[in-house]
Amino acid sequence: MDKISFFKTQFYKKNQLIHINNAGLSPISLPAYNEINKWSQRFFEEGYFTDKDYANQVTFSREQVAELIGCSSDQIAFFQSASWAITQFINSIDLKPQDEVLLWDQEYSSHLLPWKIACEKKYAQLVQLTSSQDLKTPSEHIFNHINSKTKVFAFSLAQYQSGAMIHEVGLVIKKLKERGILIFIDACQSLGVLPDHYWPSQIDGLVGTSHKWLTSPVGVGFLALGPELILKAKPLSYGSGTYGSCDDTVNDMCYPKKSAQRFEPGAKQVLEICALGKSIELILATGVSNLYTESLRLSRLLKEGLSQFKGSTLLNSNHESFDHPIINWTPPPQGPYTAQALQNELLKNGISTAFRAGGIRFSPHAFNTDQEIHYTLDKLSELIYKKP
Ligand SMILES: Cc1ncc(COP(=O)(O)O)c(C=O)c1O
């Protein structure tokens, strides 16, 4: 069995539910499910006697996250959400009055709000770059705004509503870094689906989340911090984990840990983190490039079918050379349903999508099948052309 066929067997298929909202919440993989069951049983039966084993499993997950991103596990800190991880990054840079922070005007609120609030607190300027009408993110808009006050450019590698990506992002980052601008990446819509060659190497911080393309339970955000920022950064909160461990109590004369673990003040969400490590292990064994090729193939199959609905529109923010499986589509205006009502109807029919930017967002993952795509298109035809 080839790797992608095996990957598809690692997801639950015994009900009629079709998951095409993987940019929102994906189902969890079989290894993640097994891992949660394993730890749930061990905590039930063994309690404290699991202590070393679960800590080792958390270390394994940290190493898997690092391997996926391409950094050292010392740079990884776990949080409860992406927004916490973003807030920790902001706390790691010395934002001053008049500094400018650049963000796109279409960033997800968990990314936008931590920056907005921090800028208000520090009297810094939040500059929101204007996307083009179809939500593309042209690099000229970035270059038109950078100046000597620009402290940081914070952006989603793939935008959540349309999958839009900056063309030649590596080159853009190189130019900004040459001007001393910090680079922060929200990779929540990228990790687990975009292969290596999309990843810029020169970043100062990167955030990811468990429950989308990484097919893991909700509840883990993580931060990869540039090595030079780890020691400079102030933790958001302090606890036994900042210094030692719960069995190694320390006084406040001790130095905080030297790795990014100093940002994890205390006990963690062990089940979710262990499950995340197992899903990433599966993703790495399958190969992110293979996952990308397959999810893009399914996405193109779907896109082709969607474009057949006369009068419908595709928010075509993608380009052959930097495509993402996210599709944003608006049904024909003369049809019986608005986009939101149609998205609701799909949900009632067991097909998950999302209503975003006035259209329906479809985000197929490599575990989806051709039959699921065809079924979705047939269901759309039925709904659009034969109102019940
Ligand atoms: C771009 C982006 N960043 C972050 C998140 C998640 O943020 P949080 O973990 O704070 O809910 C999402 C989706 O929910 C997202 O699409």
Side-chain angles (χ1 to χ4, degrees):
M1 191 185 287
D2 66 44
K3 289 180 176 178
I4 284 294
S5 304
F6 177 75
F7 184 77
K8 289 182 198 283
T9 67
Q10 300 299 288
F11 291 84
Y12 191 76
K13 295 280 181 193
K14 290 185 190 147
N15 56 20
Q16 301 300 310
L17 300 178
I18 298 181
H19 307 280
I20 334 183
N21 184 24
N22 300 300
L25 176 75
S26 67
I28 70 172
S29 70
L30 182 61
Y33 168 78
N34 287 339
E35 192 68 7
I36 288 179
N37 285 343
K38 179 180 104 185
W39 287 109
S40 162
Q41 185 160 6
R42 287 201 60 186
F43 286 132
F44 179 62
E45 293 174 1
E46 300 169 49
Y48 177 69
F49 294 94
T50 60
D51 217 34
K52 277 210 174 64
D53 290 351
Y54 89 66
N56 286 340
Q57 199 63 41
V58 169
T59 302
F60 172 78
S61 293
R62 199 183 298 281
E63 287 164 357
Q64 293 297 291
V65 171
E67 191 177 333
L68 186 67
I69 296 173
C71 65
S72 148
S73 59
D74 280 351
Q75 292 174 254
I76 304 295
F78 288 120
F79 298 86
Q80 187 260 318
S81 66
S83 35
W84 273 115
I86 294 165
T87 308
Q88 174 61 64
F89 178 79
I90 298 171
N91 216 42
S92 311
I93 62 170
D94 193 15
L95 208 54
K96 295 211 165 61
Q98 315 308 329
D99 279 346
E100 287 188 4
V101 174
L102 286 193
L103 252 86
W104 288 104
D105 56 0
Q106 58 170 303
E107 292 290 345
Y108 185 68
S109 52
S110 283
H111 186 202
L112 166 68
L113 289 176
W115 285 107
K116 189 167 181 286
I117 304 298
C119 285
E120 280 165 14
K121 270 196 196 151
K122 301 278 178 130
Y123 304 101
Q125 295 297 316
L126 182 82
V127 179
Q128 287 193 268
L129 302 169
T130 314
S131 311
S132 53
Q133 239 184 343
D134 58 358
L135 295 186
K136 279 198 187 97
T137 50
S139 28
E140 313 87 82
H141 294 203
I142 308 166
F143 292 115
N144 288 344
H145 278 84
I146 53 172
N147 60 60
S148 58
K149 292 186 197 158
T150 312
K151 170 96 174 176
V152 55
F153 176 43
F155 68 101
S156 292
L157 197 55
Q159 295 291 341
Y160 80 103
Q161 299 175 107
S162 63
M165 295 193 277
I166 298 169
H167 187 37
E168 297 201 74
V169 68
L171 210 63
V172 172
I173 285 173
K174 188 167 172 280
K175 288 190 177 163
L176 298 196
K177 291 294 290 176
E178 279 164 9
R179 298 186 60 159
I181 297 168
L182 293 168
I183 301 296
F184 179 74
I185 291 184
D186 181 332
C188 292
Q189 299 296 356
S190 314
L191 278 167
V193 66
L194 289 187
D196 285 6
H197 57 273
Y198 286 104
W199 291 93
S201 54
Q202 298 177 298
I203 50 155
D204 298 290
L206 179 146
V207 66
T209 188
S210 51
H211 60 271
K212 300 179 187 295
W213 304 93
L214 296 180
T215 66
S216 302
V218 177
V220 191
F222 48 86
L223 174 67
L225 202 58
E228 61 296 342
L229 281 179
I230 294 176
L231 292 179
K232 278 198 221 155
K234 289 187 212 84
L236 273 180
S237 53
Y238 292 82
S240 62
T242 317
Y243 300 95
S245 71
C246 44
D247 287 331
D248 165 22
T249 46
V250 289
N251 64 45
D252 54 15
M253 298 298 287
C254 281
Y255 291 105
K257 282 175 186 155
K258 292 207 166 74
S259 72
Q261 278 188 61
R262 72 212 293 250
F263 306 119
E264 297 169 13
K268 312 178 220 309
Q269 61 283 39
V270 170
L271 266 64
E272 289 86 345
I273 292 174
C274 292
L276 171 66
K278 283 302 199 181
S279 269
I280 298 180
E281 184 179 43
L282 172 67
I283 285 169
L284 290 170
T286 312
V288 182
S289 281
N290 294 330
L291 295 173
Y292 178 60
T293 306
E294 177 62 1
S295 48
L296 210 53
R297 185 186 70 77
L298 291 165
S299 167
R300 286 178 177 158
L301 185 66
L302 180 58
K303 212 187 247 182
E304 203 183 301
L306 292 172
S307 65
Q308 306 301 316
F309 289 96
K310 259 200 159 153
S312 69
T313 42
L314 278 163
L315 238 192
N316 194 9
S317 54
N318 299 333
H319 182 280
E320 283 298 305
S321 63
F322 56 112
D323 219 348
H324 192 284
I326 290 179
I327 299 171
N328 191 306
W329 175 82
T330 306
Q334 70 276 15
Y337 295 104
T338 61
Q340 191 162 20
L342 191 57
Q343 187 264 336
N344 223 355
E345 286 303 313
L346 287 175
L347 200 60
K348 284 190 211 156
N349 281 280
I351 302 168
S352 71
T353 61
F355 176 64
R356 295 285 182 273
I360 301 179
R361 183 188 66 186
F362 297 88
S363 43
H365 203 312
F367 64 75
N368 288 123
T369 61
D370 292 45
Q371 292 93 302
E372 289 175 338
I373 300 297
H374 291 305
Y375 181 85
T376 303
L377 289 167
D378 289 347
K379 190 50 75 183
L380 279 168
S381 279
E382 202 180 300
L383 289 165
I384 290 174
Y385 298 128
K386 290 184 232 156
K387 191 172 181 192

